[in-house]
């Protein structure tokens, strides 16, 4: 009965912004770390950002540091990814995932328990 659903993707010009949302249900949301991954055509699924149970613990891949911000609202069972200064190389399907294991596995897709269906982000030049 666990569901993880992303929304907010779309087409945007380079330099623009998008805010992705991920709503989770059927789990105790505050007990899970939440991560964002992305996958471009022909590429492997790659880590983007993660936020821990405590909210204050965050991690980002180097290529998005200073441009993307991950946050969560436990009262709404929702995690967000604010994406600013978007570049064409950010084009991908973005996936939200829930992690019950510790921080040691935050960069590893296999350590996440539940995944959303993905939302497409396309950045034009």
């Amino acid at each position: 009965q666990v569901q993880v659903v992303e929304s907010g993707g779309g087409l945007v010009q380079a330099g623009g912004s998008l805010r992705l949302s991920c709503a989770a249900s059927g789990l105790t949301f505050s007990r899970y770390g939440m991560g964002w991954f992305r996958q471009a055509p022909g590429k492997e699924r790659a880590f983007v950002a993660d936020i821990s149970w405590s909210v204050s613990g965050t991690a980002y891949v180097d290529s998005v540091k200073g441009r993307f911000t991950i946050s969560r609202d436990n009262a709404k069972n929702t995690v967000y990814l604010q994406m600013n200064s978007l570049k064409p190389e950010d084009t991908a399907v973005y996936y939200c995932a829930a992690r019950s294991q510790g921080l040691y596995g935050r960069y590893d897709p296999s350590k996440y328990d539940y995944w959303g269906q993905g939302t497409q982000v396309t950045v034009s030049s």
Side-chain angles (χ1 to χ4, degrees):
Q1 63 177 6
V2 173
Q3 291 188 321
V4 179
V5 181
E6 306 95 334
S7 62
L11 175 64
V12 65
Q13 188 181 15
S17 297
L18 286 173
R19 188 196 194 199
L20 305 184
S21 297
C22 173
S25 62
L27 52 75
T28 304
F29 184 75
S30 62
R31 296 287 188 175
Y32 286 79
M34 300 296 295
W36 287 96
F37 291 76
R38 63 188 180 186
Q39 187 168 23
K43 303 289 187 178
E44 66 183 39
R45 190 168 299 187
F47 173 81
V48 178
D50 181 271
I51 186 166
S52 70
W53 304 270
S54 66
V55 179
S56 61
T58 59
Y60 300 90
V61 66
D62 285 346
S63 60
V64 309
K65 287 180 179 177
R67 299 189 297 120
F68 291 11
T69 302
I70 188 170
S71 61
R72 67 190 295 163
D73 186 339
N74 288 345
K76 297 181 179 179
N77 283 15
T78 301
V79 62
Y80 306 95
L81 187 68
Q82 179 66 47
M83 305 186 295
N84 298 326
S85 301
L86 283 162
K87 304 174 180 180
E89 51 262 45
D90 295 317
T91 295
V93 177
Y94 283 70
Y95 297 90
C96 179
R99 169 181 52 81
S100 63
Q101 299 184 50
L103 297 177
Y104 71 93
R106 73 195 311 175
Y107 302 103
D108 184 353
S110 71
K111 302 301 183 181
Y112 289 75
D113 303 291
Y114 306 105
W115 291 83
Q117 83 291 341
T119 186
Q120 177 71 49
V121 172
T122 303
V123 184
S124 62
S125 60

